[in-house]
């Protein structure tokens, strides 16, 4: 049950043909079959078309190895050209769809070990699991594989490891032939769609790959927080999802018939939201063993998930925020530039329900989603209090020490972490809208936390996910994770699912903020001694811009907290010397002085 919240209800890129030679770039293939082109008027749903060139006669061992690795870039579903580099016994060991993809940066290093063995190594940026999960690697990580060489018909061919081999792609190649897409799940007691980030080959079978991924079970990091309308065991009845006149025709196995009408609607909404990420798809139809499924009213195709009452929850753009200086709170539009004549002067008058004063002995302020309640912890970080403009201050009975900055979720619960009486680190949740004066924060289940401690949290607008920053007991080994929020039927948080690591390339993380339902901003450093700077990232992607047009922004020495008034361009940072900085392109402009910027729920 949700309280006081309502969910909101590419063009195809030009094809690029890259010719890969066994000994380098350039040149036209001297052999190969003539293949039929597209029919006139056929819609191109491939982001990139990459064609590999097979081995050249007389090529050296090193050229054959490099050529094979480059041939992995070919997004031909059979990888037929790449197989030409392999000796016969290795063809079945090349498991490009069932083993991980290594995404590397820099140059490949080839080291000859014996007359017929070469070690290949490279700086590794990420590893992509067969299910499409992108896992960044820490700075300095390297990937290494030992490849054999043998003569076949007088020419050198690659012998793969007996335990199989996937793909090695440099960052540019990966960005050309893999695409970031989302698989959607639903909230248990509502109609919100929650995305799960994956990476898939962008070839002709993307529709099939996405549909198959959508039929999979809820991932561990969202277990209990979301559900799926797809009945267990449901699969594609045929190994293809054709797109005909813009309609993705998803033919399911008979298990799909076990879904009741509500689950069938959810299943259709999930598949529609997921499949519409393909530029050529404008609608989705479902069938079971070729028999069309229907929704009430005889509907057989759906063009948007919102037609069915399902959609993602956007983060609301803000006109103003509250800024705290000393013990006073006032409204601020951080984007307003007074010396620009065309700038519209914002309305900075206090609004009904605004809290206007918090004693300066309280710190780390947070603002409820409705903007009418402020939470803060004491200077000693051992007390928590709540303020409303129309009520006396509500002091919460002591429950923990070393309290973190609180954060509100969209359901009216207040989140804070700290050490309990036994010294164990816990995540606590308080029903902040409860009229019970004795209500106190309750610990929720986080068995995965172990000896780690939470330093900061940010709850998504859908109130189903939370970004959690943790460290070890000594404040080292900083990690950012994405966890699902497991709730009771009345909406009360009960547990956090085991987190999925994010931003592994950062060795220090200070704070994090959601930008929308899939993007976030984080204050961090890659290496000790680097300046603190904000980074933009997508869930399940790289924070350094390797896989998308995101990455680092100009450094902000002394940056302490980060929030947004609207997406990446609305970022606001507070520094340790109480400067409030707003993003101005690639730089930062001081817009006020203050110790806290309060955005609703942020």
């Amino acid at each position: 049950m949700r309280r006081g919240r309502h969910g909101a209800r590419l063009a195809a890129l030009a094809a690029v043909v890259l010719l890969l030679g066994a000994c380098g770039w350039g040149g036209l293939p001297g052999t190969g079959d003539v293949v039929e082109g597209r029919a006139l008027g056929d819609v191109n749903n491939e982001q990139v078309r990459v064609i590999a060139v097979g081995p050249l006669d007389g090529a050296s061992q090193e050229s054959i190895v490099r050529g094979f690795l480059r041939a992995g870039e070919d997004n031909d579903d059979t990888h037929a050209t790449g197989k030409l580099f392999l000796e016969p016994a290795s063809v079945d060991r090349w498991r490009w769809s069932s083993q991980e993809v290594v995404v590397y940066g820099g140059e490949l290093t080839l080291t000859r070990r014996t007359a017929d063995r070469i070690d290949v190594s490279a700086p590794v940026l990420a590893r992509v699991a067969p299910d499409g999960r992108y896992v960044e690697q820490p700075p300095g990580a390297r990937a290494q594989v030992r490849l054999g060489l043998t003569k076949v018909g007088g020419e050198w061919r690659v012998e793969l490891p007996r335990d199989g081999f996937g793909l090695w792609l440099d960052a540019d190649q990966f960005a050309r032939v893999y695409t970031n897409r989302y698989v959607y799940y639903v909230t248990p007691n509502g109609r919100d769609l929650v995305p799960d980030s994956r990476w898939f080959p962008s070839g002709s079978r993307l529709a099939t790959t996405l549909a198959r991924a959508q039929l999979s079970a809820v991932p561990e990091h969202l277990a209990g927080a979301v559900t799926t309308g797809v009945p267990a065991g449901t699969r594609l009845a045929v190994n293809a999802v054709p797109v005909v006149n813009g309609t993705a025709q998803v033919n399911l196995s008979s298990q799909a018939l076990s879904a009741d009408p509500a689950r069938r609607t959810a299943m259709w909404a999930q598949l529609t939201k997921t499949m519409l990420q393909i530029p050529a798809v404008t609608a989705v139809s479902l069938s079971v063993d070729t028999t069309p499924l229907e929704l009430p009213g005889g509907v057989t195709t759906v063009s948007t998930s919102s037609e069915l009452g399902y959609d993602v929850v956007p983060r609301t753009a803000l006109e103003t925020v509250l800024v705290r200086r000393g013990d006073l709170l006032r409204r601020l539009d951080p984007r307003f530039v007074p010396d620009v004549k065309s700038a519209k002067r914002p309305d900075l008058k206090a609004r009904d329900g605004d809290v206007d004063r918090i004693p300066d002995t309280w710190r780390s302020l947070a603002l409820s989603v409705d903007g009418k309640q402020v939470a803060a912890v004491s200077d000693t970080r051992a007390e928590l209090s709540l303020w409303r403009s129309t009520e006396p201050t509500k002091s919460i009975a002591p429950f923990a020490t070393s309290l973190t900055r609180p954060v509100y979720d969209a359901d009216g619960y207040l989140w804070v972490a700290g050490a309990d009486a036994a010294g164990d680190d816990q995540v606590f949740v308080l029903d902040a809208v409860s009229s019970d004066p004795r209500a106190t924060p309750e610990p929720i289940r986080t068995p995965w936390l172990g000896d780690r401690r939470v330093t900061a949290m940010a709850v998504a607008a859908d109130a189903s996910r939370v970004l959690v920053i943790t460290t070890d007991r000594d404040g080292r080994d900083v990690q950012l994770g994405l966890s699902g929020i497991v709730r009771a039927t009345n909406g009360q948080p009960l547990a956090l699912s085991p987190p999925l690591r994010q931003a592994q390339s950062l060795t220090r993380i200070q704070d994090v903020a959601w930008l929308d339902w899939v993007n976030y901003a984080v204050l961090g450093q890659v290496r000790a001694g680097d300046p603190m700077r904000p980074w933009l990232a997508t869930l399940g992607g790289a924070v350094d811009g390797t896989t998308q047009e995101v990455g680092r922004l100009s450094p902000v020495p002394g940056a302490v907290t980060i929030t947004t008034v609207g997406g990446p361009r609305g970022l606001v940072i507070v520094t340790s010397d109480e400067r409030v900085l707003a993003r101005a392109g690639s730089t930062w402009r001081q817009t006020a002085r203050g110790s806290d910027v309060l955005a609703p729920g942020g």
Side-chain angles (χ1 to χ4, degrees):
M1 180 183 299
R2 298 300 191 198
R3 306 183 300 176
R5 182 170 64 86
H6 300 280
R9 307 300 178 242
L10 291 160
L13 298 177
V16 177
V17 179
L18 300 177
L19 300 179
L20 305 180
C23 299
W25 297 94
L28 295 174
T31 60
D33 297 330
V34 176
V35 285
E36 183 178 353
R38 293 183 182 277
L40 186 63
D42 189 12
V43 177
N44 176 14
N45 70 341
E46 295 183 36
Q47 287 186 308
V48 175
R49 181 69 180 104
V50 180
I51 301 173
V53 175
L56 301 180
D57 291 345
S60 67
Q61 291 181 329
E62 289 80 2
S63 294
I64 291 297
V65 168
R66 292 184 185 275
F68 166 67
L69 294 175
R70 286 178 174 172
E73 181 182 357
D74 189 343
N75 54 13
D76 167 27
D77 297 323
T78 66
H79 283 284
T81 302
K83 293 175 183 177
L84 299 176
F85 289 90
L86 301 175
E87 55 90 21
S90 291
V91 171
D92 290 337
R93 298 178 192 166
W94 193 20
R95 301 160 190 161
W96 62 85
S97 63
S98 61
Q99 290 193 210
E100 71 176 12
V101 178
V102 171
V103 183
Y104 65 90
E107 295 295 323
L108 292 173
T109 300
L110 273 59
T111 305
R112 185 185 298 275
R113 292 302 178 190
T114 65
D116 58 358
R117 291 287 183 271
I118 289 180
D119 286 349
V120 184
S121 67
V124 59
L125 303 176
R127 297 178 184 270
V128 183
D131 64 356
R133 194 77 62 196
Y134 186 100
V135 181
E136 272 194 297
Q137 301 298 295
R142 294 189 68 85
Q144 183 166 311
V145 64
R146 177 164 294 180
L147 300 176
L149 278 301
T150 188
K151 283 287 186 76
V152 177
E155 301 291 342
W156 289 110
R157 293 296 180 259
V158 175
E159 180 181 348
L160 295 179
R162 294 188 178 277
D163 58 354
F165 184 77
L167 291 175
W168 278 35
L169 299 173
D170 73 25
D172 289 339
Q173 292 171 351
F174 180 79
R176 282 194 291 267
V177 298
Y178 271 70
T179 184
N180 188 203
R181 293 293 183 263
Y182 302 95
V183 176
Y184 288 88
Y185 299 97
V186 296
T187 50
N189 301 313
R191 287 176 169 253
D192 299 333
L193 292 176
V194 179
D196 180 40
S197 178
R198 311 281 186 90
W199 288 84
F200 302 110
S202 56
S204 60
R205 290 182 59 82
L206 181 58
T208 304
T209 304
L210 278 175
R212 187 181 294 115
Q214 184 63 79
L215 302 180
S216 62
V218 172
E220 184 181 15
H221 72 281
L222 295 176
V226 299
T227 187
T228 178
V230 180
T234 302
R235 53 181 175 77
L236 293 178
V238 294
N239 193 29
V241 175
V243 179
V244 180
N245 296 324
T247 299
Q249 301 175 342
V250 184
N251 189 13
L252 303 172
S253 63
S254 59
Q255 288 89 340
L257 293 174
S258 65
D260 60 28
R263 291 189 66 193
R264 179 180 297 185
T265 303
M267 174 174 62
W268 212 316
Q270 291 172 253
L271 279 161
T272 299
K273 189 71 174 180
T274 296
M275 302 302 292
L276 285 174
Q277 295 172 98
I278 301 173
V281 174
T282 58
V284 175
S285 67
L286 300 187
S287 59
V288 173
D289 292 329
T290 72
T291 301
L293 285 179
E294 291 186 359
L295 290 168
V299 174
T300 58
T301 61
V302 176
S303 297
T304 65
S305 62
S306 58
E307 291 178 26
L308 305 175
Y310 287 83
D311 212 339
V312 296
V313 180
R315 182 182 171 104
T316 304
L318 307 172
E319 294 180 357
T320 59
V321 291
L322 290 176
V323 174
R324 189 262 193 100
R325 186 173 187 185
D327 62 356
L328 297 179
L329 296 176
R330 63 180 178 87
R331 289 211 163 261
L332 172 75
D333 180 355
R335 294 162 296 193
F336 177 65
V337 182
D339 55 348
V340 176
K341 293 182 179 180
S342 61
K344 181 181 177 182
R345 185 168 294 278
D347 180 7
L348 301 180
K349 294 179 181 178
R351 300 177 182 176
D352 289 344
D354 276 2
V355 177
D356 62 2
R357 187 179 296 271
I358 302 288
D360 60 10
T361 54
W362 295 85
R363 58 191 296 181
S364 300
L365 277 57
L367 184 65
S368 61
V369 172
D370 66 6
K372 296 182 179 181
Q373 187 179 80
V374 174
V377 301
S378 64
D379 276 343
T380 62
R381 293 202 174 275
E383 299 175 79
L384 173 70
S385 287
L386 309 179
W387 284 262
R388 284 186 179 272
S389 64
T390 57
E391 300 173 6
T393 302
K394 183 177 180 179
S395 298
I396 307 300
F399 62 96
T401 58
S402 301
L403 297 177
T404 62
R405 178 182 299 274
V407 61
Y408 286 88
D409 70 23
D411 289 349
Y413 290 93
L414 181 67
W415 295 69
V416 65
D420 63 15
D424 295 326
D425 285 275
Q426 303 264 20
V427 174
F428 297 87
V429 176
L430 172 69
D431 185 350
V433 300
S434 172
S435 59
D436 182 358
R438 297 168 298 177
T440 58
E442 297 290 338
I444 63 174
R445 297 192 303 273
T446 54
W448 50 266
L449 192 57
D451 289 334
R452 298 185 66 79
R453 57 183 51 176
V454 174
T455 61
M457 295 179 286
V459 182
D462 55 37
S464 297
R465 298 167 295 158
V466 58
L467 287 165
V468 184
I469 302 173
T470 64
T471 69
D472 62 18
R473 289 279 182 170
D474 298 321
R476 296 191 292 264
D477 186 29
V478 64
Q479 297 181 11
L480 176 64
L482 174 68
S483 287
I485 301 173
V486 181
R487 295 179 184 267
T489 54
N490 67 353
Q492 180 179 354
L494 301 176
L496 290 181
S497 58
L500 179 67
R501 285 284 302 275
Q502 307 288 319
Q504 291 96 320
S505 61
L506 300 181
T507 57
R508 181 185 172 194
I509 300 175
Q510 174 72 25
D511 195 22
V512 65
W514 289 90
L515 301 177
D516 54 36
W517 59 91
V518 293
N519 297 297
Y520 64 93
V522 60
L523 291 176
Q525 299 170 320
V526 173
R527 294 176 175 82
D530 285 354
M532 184 64 67
R533 69 169 75 236
W535 303 75
L536 305 180
T538 299
L539 294 175
V543 300
D544 63 356
T546 300
T547 56
Q548 58 271 334
E549 291 184 2
V550 298
R552 62 182 183 179
L553 300 174
S554 299
V556 180
V560 175
T561 63
I562 189 168
T563 189
T564 183
V565 293
R569 297 193 178 278
L571 287 175
V572 182
I573 289 175
V574 178
T575 64
S576 57
D577 58 355
E578 300 192 358
R579 289 176 295 134
V580 178
L581 305 177
R583 184 179 176 186
S586 61
T587 61
W588 298 93
R589 172 177 52 82
Q590 182 171 327
T591 188
R593 296 197 69 85
S595 58
D596 296 87
V597 169
L598 284 69

